[in-house]
Amino acid sequence: MTTKSSTSRLLAVPAAGITLTVTGDPRTVAALEELAAPFFPPSCGPDGRSLCTPPAPESHWQLDLVRGPAGGTAEAEPDGTPAHRTDFDTAARRITVLCAEAEWLPVIGLRHARTLSRAVAIGAGAVPLHGAAVELAGTGIILTGEKMAGKTTAALSLVRSGGALISNDDVLLVAGPEGWRMVGGPRSVGIRMESLGEHRPVLSAARLAEATGAHPSNRPGKRFLAPGAVERIGGSVQVQAPAHVLIELVSDPDRSVRHRSGDHALDDKEAATVLRAYLEDAADRRRFDLIDALGAPPPSLTADVLGSVVGSLRFFRFTHPVSGWVDAFLDFARAVTPVSPAMAAWTVTA
């Protein structure tokens, strides 16, 4: 859907092996591209036309972002997302998002593009886990845990201590010739304001506000950081990395004594239980209408896949009190990752 006042941008979606043409108002398209970086890189030169790689029709999708009254069956979402309508034409591989609030269009459009990407990747065998992923000195670390277990705090503390963020909340495990890889996606990082004192180095509210800017999802108790903005708080982001270690985080309100790292290795049976517990139920926790329209199969862990992941990664559990635990966790993470020159030089400054 292109008009005289609209533009289009061809993006690659490597995790799913597809391409995506995003069409809409120039500012909206540019905002989506910024939010999607570095996970959906442009397939064209800076002018949007040169050096384009012609998309393969069977793996190319169109995303139209239309500002205007949604009408019809428009719905708002509990997190404050305004009323919008999304139409799917899976035969034509086209998704159209309509919303009256311009600042939300790129956010809503990207959510649907991310769901599409994950559904295609899962259909090709990727394993979606509810967890964060960080690459630290050549070691890939996955952090799982229930809500409020501290995944974001732990992940960003690792990232701001020399690591790179792969994913904050919904990592994909993808099998390859050299083993399992952690693959991320363009999901903004939600940071609770009450957790800032736990971050290492300590993250001030002023610095976080400057980094998150005017993200439309921001609200008084929580700020949202686009992946590409992680560098503004002293970190970095990369698209994927080999997976080596999985740590289950458990928050125990009654605990005051921190375990030593050597006490937390999980055996194969416990590791399999953890993987089953944190396997995502679908490609997305919302947007089931798109998943249904795509006919996407639910995620699964076959015996062969389960055995391969358990046999390839090392598994640990880190149980911690509600507060004052991150320094101990960082020491723990160092203890369970292979020693390298970069790790030996790794220090945490307040």
Side-chain angles (χ1 to χ4, degrees):
M1 184 181 297
T2 304
T3 67
K4 290 182 179 179
S5 61
S6 68
T7 189
S8 62
R9 194 79 161 116
L10 179 63
L11 304 179
V13 187
I18 62 175
T19 52
L20 180 71
T21 294
V22 183
T23 299
D25 174 87
R27 293 180 62 181
T28 300
V29 173
L32 184 144
E33 185 176 356
E34 181 178 358
L35 289 170
F39 297 97
F40 294 178
S43 288
C44 298
D47 62 1
R49 295 183 298 276
S50 63
L51 304 178
C52 287
T53 301
E58 68 277 5
S59 59
H60 180 66
W61 283 75
Q62 176 84 26
L63 175 63
D64 295 326
L65 305 177
V66 181
R67 182 183 180 187
T73 57
E75 296 182 0
E77 295 183 14
D79 64 355
T81 305
H84 60 279
R85 192 178 89 237
T86 309
D87 298 326
F88 314 119
D89 184 344
T90 54
R93 298 186 181 86
R94 193 181 204 110
I95 301 172
T96 303
V97 177
L98 300 96
C99 181
E101 299 189 29
E103 69 273 17
W104 276 97
L105 259 180
V107 175
I108 299 170
L110 183 58
R111 289 174 180 174
H112 285 82
R114 189 179 69 228
T115 300
L116 169 65
S117 169
R118 287 172 58 81
V120 173
I122 292 167
V127 178
L129 295 180
H130 180 192
V134 173
E135 189 275 336
L136 182 67
T139 297
I141 303 172
I142 297 171
L143 303 172
T144 60
E146 298 293 341
K147 188 176 181 180
M148 307 291 285
K151 297 186 295 297
T152 298
T153 301
L156 288 182
S157 294
L158 286 171
V159 168
R160 297 175 66 232
S161 301
L165 184 69
I166 308 294
S167 174
N168 173 58
D169 198 48
D170 52 5
V171 64
L172 294 174
L173 274 177
V174 178
E178 299 179 358
W180 290 92
R181 300 186 67 80
M182 317 178 300
V183 178
R187 185 188 185 101
S188 292
V189 182
I191 303 173
R192 291 180 293 108
M193 301 300 291
E194 63 185 23
S195 74
L196 294 186
E198 298 296 321
H199 286 249
R200 293 293 182 269
V202 173
L203 181 58
S204 71
R207 186 174 188 185
L208 180 61
E210 182 180 0
T212 57
H215 196 297
S217 296
N218 287 338
R219 45 188 184 266
K222 196 171 187 179
R223 307 285 296 191
F224 286 81
L225 189 69
V230 169
E231 64 182 24
R232 299 176 191 166
I233 59 169
S236 63
V237 177
Q238 64 187 56
V239 174
Q240 59 178 311
H244 302 103
V245 175
L246 186 149
I247 302 172
E248 181 189 23
L249 294 173
V250 178
S251 179
D252 182 355
D254 299 323
R255 180 175 294 267
S256 59
V257 179
R258 300 156 194 160
H259 283 182
R260 293 169 53 193
S261 62
D263 297 335
H264 303 286
L266 303 183
D267 61 29
D268 288 355
K269 183 177 180 180
E270 292 171 314
T273 299
V274 166
L275 285 172
R276 292 191 188 99
Y278 297 107
L279 178 72
E280 295 277 18
D281 295 327
D284 198 289
R285 296 164 205 161
R286 296 181 181 174
R287 283 164 285 287
F288 296 113
D289 49 355
L290 175 56
I291 294 171
D292 290 342
L294 293 169
S300 65
L301 270 175
T302 65
D304 287 345
V305 169
L306 187 63
S308 175
V309 177
V310 169
S312 300
L313 277 61
R314 293 182 296 143
F315 290 77
F316 300 88
R317 178 173 294 124
F318 183 82
T319 304
H320 63 82
V322 173
S323 62
W325 58 275
V326 177
D327 288 324
F329 168 76
L330 294 174
D331 290 340
F332 172 81
R334 282 188 288 183
V336 300
T337 54
V339 176
S340 69
M343 286 294 292
W346 177 34
T347 58
V348 180
T349 59

